[in-house]
């Protein structure tokens, strides 16, 4: 499986990347630097890691 990690900086770039996926799963993982976002991101880290193991 081809794994790619990319951090789009603009909405148009995100739309382009997800549009090019055509039939390939795309996991969009959004984070932030404010305390509530960091807390939520850490809570999801285990879930994202499990998805990566399962589909990697």
């Amino acid at each position: 499986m081809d794994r790619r990690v990319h951090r789009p900086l603009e909405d148009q770039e995100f739309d382009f990347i997800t549009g090019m996926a055509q039939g390939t799963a795309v996991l969009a993982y959004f984070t932030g630097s404010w305390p509530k976002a960091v807390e939520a991101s850490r809570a999801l880290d285990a879930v994202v890691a499990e998805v990566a193991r399962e589909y990697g």
Side-chain angles (χ1 to χ4, degrees):
M1 172 178 260
D2 185 17
R3 291 186 201 172
R4 295 173 192 215
V5 175
H6 184 72
R7 293 176 178 86
L9 301 177
E10 304 206 7
D11 291 346
Q12 296 85 359
E13 188 178 2
F14 179 82
D15 293 342
F16 176 77
I17 291 167
T18 55
M20 293 296 293
Q22 295 186 9
T24 302
V26 174
L27 174 63
Y29 183 48
F30 299 93
T31 63
S33 59
W34 57 95
K36 289 284 186 186
V38 171
E39 183 180 320
S41 295
R42 286 189 181 143
L44 285 174
D45 283 347
V47 174
V48 171
E50 180 60 31
V51 169
R53 277 191 294 277
E54 187 172 330
Y55 292 95

